[in-house]
Each structure stands twice: as C-alpha cells, then as structure tokens.
C-alpha cells in the first residue's frame, strides 16, 4: 500500500505549523517537524546571513535539510 505524504513549505510565520497540526488531526497522517533553513543556517554557518551565502553554502544547506527530513521520516516509519 502506498503511504501518502503531505508537504507544507513556506515563509516563516505564515501558519505552517498550525495548518499541518490541523491536517494531521483531520487525516491521521503523522506530522514531522523538520528544522527550518534558518535554524540549520545558525548551526551550520554561525553568523552568516542567507543573502551572504555562496552557491556551495546554499547547496550544503539544502542537502543538510533534506538529510534531516529523511532521518525524521525513517524514525516515523520505524516507530510503527
């Protein structure tokens, strides 16, 4: 059976957590909270701002975030 996933993404402070919590309750699809790019940025490159990042740093940030998402989904699957 194919498991459904819903991905909610967007600008900070727009209600993503509220929306995903409501969807999770309504559908029974478990919710995974991923670190935001802003949270990852401060640990990966302290003191660096998005607008000052070069292409290599942006790609590293994206890959790190993707890796964290995969780990969160694997943890959800292994709990069942």
């Amino acid at each position: 059976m194919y498991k459904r996933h819903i991905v909610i993404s967007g600008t900070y402070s727009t209600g993503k957590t509220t929306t995903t919590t409501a969807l999770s309750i309504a559908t029974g699809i478990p919710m995974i909270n991923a670190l935001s790019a802003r949270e990852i940025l401060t640990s990966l490159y302290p003191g660096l701002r998005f607008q000052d990042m070069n292409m290599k740093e942006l790609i590293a940030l994206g890959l790190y975030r993707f890796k964290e998402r995969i780990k969160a989904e694997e943890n959800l699957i292994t709990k069942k």
Side-chain angles (χ1 to χ4, degrees), residues 22-63:
L23 281 170
S24 179
I25 292 168
T27 63
I29 297 172
M31 187 170 98
I32 298 172
N33 283 319
L35 291 174
S36 70
R38 191 171 303 280
E39 291 169 318
I40 294 169
L41 175 65
T42 58
S43 65
L44 202 58
Y45 301 109
L48 191 62
R49 301 177 310 164
F50 284 113
Q51 59 266 39
D52 298 328
M53 295 178 78
N54 63 38
M55 187 60 67
K56 182 180 175 182
E57 292 162 340
L58 285 168
I59 291 171
L61 177 68
L63 289 173

Side-chain angles (χ1 to χ4, degrees), residues 2-38:
Y2 179 74
K3 296 196 181 214
R4 300 203 182 254
H5 297 263
I6 300 170
V7 177
I8 306 291
S9 179
T11 306
Y12 59 93
S13 298
T14 57
K16 295 178 304 299
T17 301
T18 302
T19 301
T20 54
T21 301
L23 281 170
S24 179
I25 292 168
T27 63
I29 297 172
M31 187 170 98
I32 298 172
N33 283 319
L35 291 174
S36 70
R38 191 171 303 280

